[in-house]
Amino acid sequence: MEELRKKLVKGQVDGQVLMIFGVNGDLSKRKLLPSIFQLYIDDLLPKKFIVIGCGSDKKDENAFREDVEENMKLFADDLMEKHPEKFDTFKKIIYYKSVRNREKEDFDQLKNYTYSLTQKLNIPHNFIYYFSIPPFMYEIVANHLVVVGLNTEDDGWKRVIVEKPFGYSLDSAIELDEKLHKGFREHQIYRIDHYLGKETVQNIMVTRFANGFFEPLWNRRYIDRVEITAAEKIGVEDRGGYFESSGTMRDMIQNHLLQVLAVIAMDPPAVFDSDSIRNETVKVLQALRPIQPNEVSKYVVRGQYTEGKRRGEVLRGYREEKDVDPNSMTETFVALKLFVDNWRWSDVPFYIRSGKNLPVRVTEIVIHLKPAPLQLFKEKLSNQITNMIILRIHPDAGIAIDFEMKIPGAGYNVQSVNMDFHYSDLEQSKIPDAYERLLLDCMVGDSTLYARADAVRASWKFVDPILNAWRENPKIPLYMYPSNTWGPAEADGLFENKDLQWKDQCDKFFCEI
Ligand code: BG6
């Protein structure tokens, strides 16, 4: 960030325009605009920079700015409270153009509007188009941008940020790529996966590759299994319509969690640049052992939340949620066991689980190490040996190492203790939001933390047969679990060794069961 700040001060970062399609939507209100405002406060935006919000609602600039202010008070109240004067100047760099995505003439007008603004403000024609719109609109908007000539790079660079899900299956992802490539070249396409923008996910690479002591252990010889949990306390809220067509597999596993897995399992790149890093992560995804249709029930458990209680409050079941089919077969929980078939990870199981309406919000990676070759203190243990490296993404981001230690006093009795590092202990402890980081990267043309086409395809290739089996084979159960529990008990059955189970997340975090 410091290096970037210097460049920005020297005016070395290109002047540019960020156009957000779907600017009146949830993502833009909750994440994008607050992130841009934070970058503005931190003085991290290019000197010549404006945002043009594009949405179907008809309103003028002033009304838009007022809406943004209202939303900012809702979703970034801390920023608004601390920097009210900054917002007054920030709002002058945000503009609005009413655009109906299906109408070509609106894109002609958008072009004229943008050109007159850039001329007036002396901003070069470097444009980022952020597609914060439903996936079926990507193609339509991309096509209109091409038709009106807003894709050409003769007068400045053009970049497109495409939100997830990128396609619904391998075929549709390939098709979407082909359609985008009609008007944009690969270097112009930024497929966003906000998990890669999380500081703590990037820190996995630093932890592994900047230290001499983790990497020698990071392989099948010393690691028994890896667990990745992304538990959410909330249900689908008002996103029932979207979730019905997505489900947890498409919403969390195909993108966020497989990308996290790729970062955990990748080999060290020869140099730390975008291509080298992405070359290594894609190799992991390509090495995922396919799950055959007849093995889906053995390796994958799907669940759906039903009514439950938290602190006496009744939590609705998924089928009672707004815009959800009362007979819906959509999964809100997935647990799976998979293998990465390469030299480093051969036969090491990776267990992944994610679900909504679970007792706590936590995203954590647990690396379980194999026990020491000879158990000298077997008889003296107060509990099972739990050598673990825990990489906590949130809450309370940090790293913990659990190991065994002698209980002080007579004899050699052993107990588990841990060394716990918390990001909050750092002097510079503010963790930037993932969207801040990713927007900034796109502004400077760094695509390292964006998913490449081959990686997206490799993860669809792994996920597709599971989704197909669920669709085609009604015998594969969808297990029901009461809201505010840890998902169906069948998820425990993924561990072949019956002594093993998912790490208890309620031991560290407050679960209101
Ligand atoms: C989004 C999913 O991509 O990630 C949501 O669409 C999910 O359903 C969210 O809640 C989780 O992100 P985070 O950063 O809160 O873990």
Side-chain angles (χ1 to χ4, degrees), residues 31 163-165 193-195 198 230-232 234-236 239 242-243 246 250-252 255-256 356 361-363 393-394 433-435:
K31 293 287 183 187
E163 260 297 332
K164 66 147 255 272
D193 185 317
H194 81 274
Y195 264 59
K198 288 180 188 274
E232 290 189 87
I234 52 170
V236 293
R239 297 165 76 221
Y242 153 75
F243 211 79
S246 144
R250 289 189 177 94
D251 188 52
M252 290 294 291
N255 33 70
H256 303 329
K356 296 213 180 267
R361 176 176 183 240
V362 59
T363 299
I393 309 296
H394 57 65
D433 186 85
Y435 281 96

Side-chain angles (χ1 to χ4, degrees), residues 98-110 137 140-141 144-145 148:
S98 156
V99 178
R100 290 162 303 166
N101 294 332
R102 292 187 186 277
E103 306 301 326
K104 188 232 159 206
E105 61 176 277
D106 287 18
F107 284 77
D108 284 320
Q109 287 169 15
L110 173 66
M137 283 282 178
I140 299 167
V141 173
H144 280 144
L145 291 171
V148 302

Side-chain angles (χ1 to χ4, degrees), residues 497-508:
N497 177 345
K498 295 299 161 214
D499 291 337
L500 301 181
Q501 50 185 320
W502 297 91
K503 180 177 167 290
D504 178 7
Q505 301 291 350
C506 288
D507 62 347
K508 283 251 167 59

Side-chain angles (χ1 to χ4, degrees), residues 180-366:
L180 292 175
H181 280 143
K182 280 190 190 151
F184 297 92
R185 283 177 292 150
E186 181 57 22
H187 75 268
Q188 295 175 274
I189 302 172
Y190 288 66
R191 297 171 195 79
I192 197 162
D193 185 317
H194 81 274
Y195 264 59
L196 292 179
K198 288 180 188 274
E199 191 68 26
T200 36
V201 172
Q202 293 150 37
N203 190 43
I204 297 172
M205 285 190 273
V206 178
T207 305
R208 290 186 51 197
F209 304 139
N211 298 299
F213 53 91
F214 286 113
E215 201 44 29
L217 301 176
W218 218 262
N219 57 55
R220 68 188 304 281
R221 200 156 164 216
Y222 299 104
I223 292 181
D224 182 66
R225 62 190 190 281
V226 177
E227 254 180 66
I228 305 174
T229 292
E232 290 189 87
K233 208 168 170 176
I234 52 170
V236 293
E237 302 194 304
D238 52 2
R239 297 165 76 221
Y242 153 75
F243 211 79
E244 276 289 87
S245 61
S246 144
T248 298
M249 189 60 103
R250 289 189 177 94
D251 188 52
M252 290 294 291
I253 309 278
Q254 183 272 334
N255 33 70
H256 303 329
L257 299 187
L258 287 183
Q259 287 290 343
V260 169
L261 174 135
V263 175
I264 296 165
M266 70 192 277
D267 276 344
V271 280
F272 205 74
D273 65 21
S274 174
D275 269 344
S276 314
I277 293 171
R278 301 201 297 177
N279 285 345
E280 294 307 329
T281 49
V282 78
K283 280 187 211 160
V284 174
L285 298 170
Q286 286 166 343
L288 294 177
R289 185 187 300 170
I291 295 180
Q292 302 304 329
N294 60 353
E295 295 173 325
V296 168
S297 306
K298 182 174 168 199
Y299 290 110
V300 192
V301 171
R302 60 173 169 164
Q304 188 189 80
Y305 63 81
T306 56
E307 191 179 287
K309 276 195 172 168
R310 182 176 293 141
R311 280 191 165 175
E313 184 204 339
V314 176
L315 302 172
R316 250 197 311 276
Y318 177 70
R319 290 178 181 180
E320 282 82 60
E321 299 278 18
K322 188 169 152 266
D323 300 328
V324 169
D325 178 350
N327 298 312
S328 173
M329 289 297 283
T330 302
E331 78 288 355
T332 60
F333 175 96
V334 173
L336 76 157
K337 173 180 178 177
L338 59 81
F339 293 92
V340 178
D341 279 342
N342 64 16
W343 275 51
R344 184 190 282 263
W345 296 110
S346 181
D347 289 335
V348 176
F350 286 75
Y351 298 91
I352 302 183
R353 67 175 167 169
S354 179
K356 296 213 180 267
N357 261 0
L358 303 187
V360 70
R361 176 176 183 240
V362 59
T363 299
E364 205 175 68
I365 300 138
V366 186

Side-chain angles (χ1 to χ4, degrees), residues 37-182:
F37 183 37
Q38 178 71 63
L39 291 171
Y40 180 78
I41 293 167
D42 294 344
D43 216 5
L44 283 171
L45 291 176
K47 276 207 172 103
K48 287 180 188 269
F49 176 82
I50 56 168
V51 177
I52 302 179
C54 306
S56 56
D57 298 358
K58 283 217 174 308
K59 54 183 152 189
D60 64 16
E61 239 143 64
N62 288 334
F64 177 61
R65 288 173 180 169
E66 275 166 30
D67 288 351
V68 173
E69 187 164 356
E70 281 307 299
N71 291 323
M72 216 61 104
K73 283 181 188 155
L74 275 180
F75 301 117
D77 55 335
D78 51 330
L79 291 185
M80 292 298 272
E81 261 172 39
K82 272 195 229 146
H83 308 277
E85 72 304 335
K86 285 267 180 188
F87 188 77
D88 290 338
T89 48
F90 172 70
K91 71 179 176 196
K92 295 194 181 125
I93 64 163
I94 51 178
Y95 296 81
Y96 186 78
K97 183 81 186 107
S98 156
V99 178
R100 290 162 303 166
N101 294 332
R102 292 187 186 277
E103 306 301 326
K104 188 232 159 206
E105 61 176 277
D106 287 18
F107 284 77
D108 284 320
Q109 287 169 15
L110 173 66
K111 183 177 176 182
N112 293 339
Y113 176 76
T114 308
Y115 279 18
S116 66
L117 266 180
T118 48
Q119 193 179 11
K120 189 168 104 193
L121 302 168
N122 193 21
I123 299 178
H125 284 181
N126 299 317
F127 301 150
I128 298 179
Y129 308 112
Y130 198 118
F131 289 3
S132 179
I133 46 181
F136 68 89
M137 283 282 178
Y138 295 164
E139 181 196 342
I140 299 167
V141 173
N143 187 40
H144 280 144
L145 291 171
V146 175
V147 172
V148 302
L150 276 171
N151 62 323
T152 55
E153 295 204 295
D154 317 339
D155 53 349
W157 51 253
K158 308 289 177 302
R159 295 172 190 150
V160 188
I161 303 183
V162 188
E163 260 297 332
K164 66 147 255 272
F166 195 90
Y168 289 97
S169 58
L170 176 60
D171 287 347
S172 62
I174 294 174
E175 209 182 304
L176 178 58
D177 264 331
E178 282 169 1
K179 286 180 176 152
L180 292 175
H181 280 143
K182 280 190 190 151

